[in-house]
Amino acid sequence: MTMAINIKSNLLLIILVCVIAVYANIITNSFTLEPFYSLYPDTSELYFLHTLDDSSVFTRDSFALNYSKSIGYFNNEFIFKGIYKFLLYFFPLPVAIKILSILLCLATVFIVYKISIKYFSRDFAFFPTVLFLIYFLGQDTFFGGTMRSFGILFFVTFVYLLENKKNYFLPILLSLSALFYPYLAIPIFIICAIQTIIIKENVLKKALYALWFFLNIAIATFFTLGKGAGPIFRSALSNLDVAGAYKYTLRVNEPINPQSLYSALAYFILNLNEHGKLYLYYTFFFMLVSLIILIVRKKTALILPKSFSQMFLACMVGFILVYPMHPALASRQLNFIVPFLLVFFFSLNFYEMFKNKNIINGFFVLISSSFLIMHPCFNSIRGYEKYERVYKYAENLPKNSLIAGSPKSEIIRSMPLFSKRTVFFSEKLVFQSLAYSRQERIKRLEFLVRALYGTDPREVSEFISRYNIDYMVIEEAHYLNQFSRDLKASIRPFDKKIIEFSMGFNNIKPLLLDFAEKNYEFKENIDGYSVYIVNARTIKDKLSGAF
């Protein structure tokens, strides 16, 4: 009878987790279920994976071209590429991204459930498991099938192995972190190094463990700092000066000062400005209720398991070591451990305080319902289906076309992913832009902005000729007074550059907008404003008589 109840409970938990994971990945901010055009915006960065099944696309995109040439070479992205190459046999890339996200989510939640069983009765192990799932979905961790989704899987696996004293498996996670999420390498290295000293084995077994540890150090080094580093990691490593730069101006009224104690706590330890609003709300809720429980329970409050504390200390050491050199990268040392500890501290003490099935089940229903309702409103899954006709038109253009548009445009940002066509420049396509030097990035932005917002036909013609632009996407919404006001109010250096290059958005109607209204090849109305696609050769030919 008990076994039958357990099977039924586990089956219900599996169904619930699957429903939440799928729902979170395909429900958009407009409350529509969209399996193809729903997108966590940062996922647009993965457009270059199209080269895994079609090497003829993105031949004019320096980063994607470099990535395509690396296919088949042994580097730290070979498993990542292999997984996607397999998925692309069956699904288009936007769907493959979601499928991988959901699979990684389910695998991670399974490990968390295994950890939870040790501290909760089997009847209540679902409680921290689902809280973990909801909290980390609020953190955007399980969207996009990116390296971070692998990172959290390896993080909880390491905690599980540490908790169950599976010491000989720990060093493997050092190598895996190098393959998928190198930020984990420091805390894993610290704990494994300590294990080589304190492990209670005879001299021979200690020596074998140390040898095994050093072998994994060598593998991790090869895949991060050696020839095994792939194009994604090499690009990030060679541009550390701009890595995480967005963090200093994200969701704040003035640039963050990392020397401030408040900023260090709020933005680099708790990462309150980096994730969706839902993560912020859940963080404050769990912290507030945990504080109330501490006050009520006083000395009877449960402390966290030893392995959790060890992982936290190792991550803090990593944070302290990296913070003086690069605060944004240091924040990655705590990206998983802080919310992980908060979930388990809250769950353990809430469970011990009540131990009432009705209260715990009631709270569980309440928190799950809050996620289902608030996720579309406060998380970052957007619906891009309104741009479908634009994508379809662009996809029918020649494969080697180079398309330019506003550097702030969501259409330009997402076009490589949904249309498999190369765009000239987008603020959000970081890997693409990092293929160029800082000076070249600024120069490309300047030429683009002057062409988009200027009135001189020579600047437009020079831009098209200099970069061999084939088509231009002109969006009426990016010429509104509200658009320029938002840029002028922004504290972000990128936005200030646009203001500078556009001469402050004077009130004269830009040449390209006027031209597009009369000479477009394609037009679509989106949210009440026109979007035009114009042939750049037509622009050049018709403007040639203007100077």
Side-chain angles (χ1 to χ4, degrees):
M1 182 70 175
T2 304
M3 183 178 292
I5 293 172
N6 285 338
I7 291 172
K8 184 179 178 181
S9 299
N10 288 340
L11 184 60
L12 288 173
L13 178 61
I14 291 169
I15 293 171
L16 178 64
V17 168
C18 289
V19 167
I20 291 176
V22 173
Y23 172 84
N25 273 274
I26 68 172
I27 189 76
T28 70
N29 53 352
S30 56
F31 283 87
T32 56
L33 293 172
E34 178 49 65
F36 188 84
Y37 286 113
S38 58
L39 182 69
Y40 176 59
D42 287 356
T43 306
S44 56
E45 285 274 25
L46 297 179
Y47 72 92
F48 55 83
L49 292 173
H50 280 301
T51 61
L52 292 173
D53 68 339
D54 186 355
S55 59
S56 65
V57 296
F58 304 123
T59 55
R60 297 175 66 186
D61 182 311
S62 296
F63 178 79
L65 196 59
N66 185 33
Y67 191 85
S68 178
K69 289 177 180 177
S70 77
I71 295 171
Y73 287 90
F74 188 69
N75 56 50
N76 70 333
E77 293 154 26
F78 75 97
I79 298 178
F80 183 72
K81 286 186 288 192
I83 292 170
Y84 268 111
K85 194 169 181 64
F86 174 76
L87 289 173
L88 289 173
Y89 279 120
F90 307 99
F91 309 101
L93 182 57
V95 177
I97 287 169
K98 296 176 186 66
I99 289 173
L100 183 57
S101 300
I102 293 165
L103 292 176
L104 290 170
C105 179
L106 297 179
T108 303
V109 168
F110 172 74
I111 302 296
V112 172
Y113 180 71
K114 295 286 285 183
I115 295 171
S116 302
I117 287 175
K118 187 170 183 179
Y119 299 102
F120 298 80
S121 68
R122 190 171 287 273
D123 288 342
F124 290 104
F126 73 88
F127 185 58
T129 303
V130 176
L131 288 188
F132 168 90
L133 171 63
I134 287 171
Y135 193 20
F136 275 81
L137 282 169
Q139 195 201 40
D140 309 330
T141 297
F142 296 116
F143 303 139
T146 56
M147 301 300 194
R148 190 166 68 172
S149 302
F150 285 95
I152 186 62
L153 173 60
F154 296 137
F155 170 84
V156 298
T157 301
F158 187 84
V159 172
Y160 172 77
L161 295 172
L162 189 63
E163 178 65 21
N164 289 278
K165 298 184 174 16
K166 308 285 186 182
N167 296 325
Y168 288 98
F169 292 98
L170 296 178
I172 299 174
L173 272 298
L174 184 61
S175 297
L176 287 174
S177 70
L179 288 172
F180 292 97
Y181 200 73
Y183 305 114
L184 285 176
I186 295 177
I188 290 176
F189 171 83
I190 291 169
I191 290 177
C192 288
I194 293 172
Q195 290 294 327
T196 60
I197 300 169
I198 66 171
I199 191 169
K200 294 179 181 179
E201 299 285 1
N202 58 45
V203 175
L204 178 60
K205 287 187 176 180
K206 273 194 170 187
L208 288 173
Y209 182 85
L211 185 64
W212 175 229
F213 174 44
F214 286 122
L215 175 62
N216 280 277
I217 290 175
I219 294 171
T221 303
F222 172 77
F223 282 127
T224 51
L225 304 178
K227 292 183 178 180
I232 297 177
F233 190 75
R234 282 201 309 272
S235 176
L237 201 63
S238 61
N239 290 277
L240 284 178
D241 56 324
V242 295
Y246 67 90
K247 190 173 178 66
Y248 297 94
T249 55
L250 187 65
R251 300 191 182 106
V252 289
N253 296 321
E254 58 183 37
I256 294 170
N257 175 17
Q259 304 304 317
S260 159
L261 184 61
Y262 168 79
S263 294
L265 175 63
Y267 304 124
F268 297 101
I269 293 177
L270 294 177
N271 287 296
L272 294 180
N273 70 323
E274 189 159 346
H275 308 298
K277 289 182 181 178
L278 201 53
Y279 173 76
L280 184 69
Y281 299 151
Y282 282 142
T283 297
F284 282 128
F285 175 77
F286 288 140
M287 290 177 72
L288 178 63
V289 177
S290 295
L291 181 62
I292 293 170
I293 289 173
L294 277 173
I295 293 170
V296 172
R297 298 195 71 198
K298 296 179 182 176
K299 294 182 180 179
T300 60
L302 290 177
I303 60 173
L304 291 163
K306 185 179 176 181
S307 61
F308 293 17
S309 304
Q310 289 173 341
M311 194 64 185
F312 174 71
L313 289 173
C315 290
M316 274 306 299
V317 169
F319 177 83
I320 292 167
L321 289 174
V322 178
Y323 195 80
M325 298 177 286
H326 204 304
L329 292 186
S331 70
R332 294 295 182 270
Q333 300 297 311
L334 302 173
N335 210 28
F336 297 147
I337 188 65
V338 170
F340 180 83
L341 292 182
L342 191 53
V343 161
F344 271 89
F345 181 83
F346 171 86
S347 301
L348 280 167
N349 284 283
F350 192 91
Y351 171 71
E352 286 295 325
M353 188 171 183
F354 294 104
K355 279 194 174 176
N356 182 298
K357 193 168 186 178
N358 291 330
I359 291 176
I360 291 175
N361 285 343
F363 178 80
F364 170 77
V365 170
L366 183 67
I367 199 79
S368 300
S369 301
S370 74
F371 175 80
L372 295 175
I373 294 168
M374 294 196 297
H375 168 65
C377 304
F378 299 114
N379 263 5
S380 303
I381 302 295
R382 297 178 189 170
Y384 285 77
E385 66 275 9
K386 62 184 176 182
Y387 305 127
E388 182 176 13
R389 287 192 65 237
V390 182
Y391 298 139
K392 295 292 186 185
Y393 183 84
E395 192 171 6
N396 287 319
L397 297 175
K399 281 189 176 182
N400 66 343
S401 297
L402 182 58
I403 303 170
S406 170
K408 303 286 291 184
S409 168
E410 284 297 318
I411 294 176
I412 291 295
R413 176 190 199 174
S414 55
M415 188 175 282
L417 180 67
F418 291 118
S419 300
K420 302 183 187 180
R421 292 299 175 265
T422 304
V423 296
F424 173 71
F425 187 91
S426 171
E427 173 196 13
K428 298 295 185 179
L429 297 180
V430 178
F431 287 128
Q432 184 204 51
S433 64
L434 290 183
Y436 306 99
S437 66
R438 184 175 184 275
Q439 291 76 13
E440 178 59 23
R441 290 196 298 271
I442 293 173
K443 187 183 295 183
R444 290 167 75 88
L445 177 63
E446 180 177 5
F447 273 92
L448 173 61
V449 171
R450 289 192 184 281
L452 285 171
Y453 297 103
T455 56
D456 187 344
R458 284 170 297 190
E459 288 187 330
V460 176
S461 185
E462 183 182 1
F463 166 69
I464 292 171
S465 299
R466 184 185 184 97
Y467 295 106
N468 294 313
I469 304 298
D470 295 301
Y471 295 90
M472 297 201 68
V473 176
I474 306 299
E475 298 175 62
E476 187 182 9
H478 286 247
Y479 292 90
L480 301 176
N481 289 333
Q482 185 60 52
F483 179 77
S484 61
R485 280 197 295 268
D486 290 344
L487 284 178
K488 289 173 182 176
S490 172
I491 62 172
R492 301 181 63 249
F494 184 88
D495 295 341
K496 292 183 183 298
K497 281 290 182 188
I498 295 178
I499 294 295
E500 176 190 338
F501 296 146
S502 66
M503 304 298 185
F505 289 94
N506 56 51
N507 292 322
I508 303 172
K509 190 172 186 179
L511 183 67
L512 272 181
L513 177 60
D514 184 59
F515 185 91
E517 290 173 348
K518 302 168 184 174
N519 300 278
Y520 60 84
E521 288 195 356
F522 170 87
K523 179 182 177 182
E524 174 73 332
N525 189 284
I526 298 174
D527 295 333
Y529 299 103
S530 297
V531 174
Y532 307 98
I533 295 182
V534 189
N535 189 313
R537 178 171 293 181
T538 304
I539 298 172
K540 273 195 69 178
D541 291 344
K542 293 203 173 186
L543 291 183
S544 60
F547 54 88

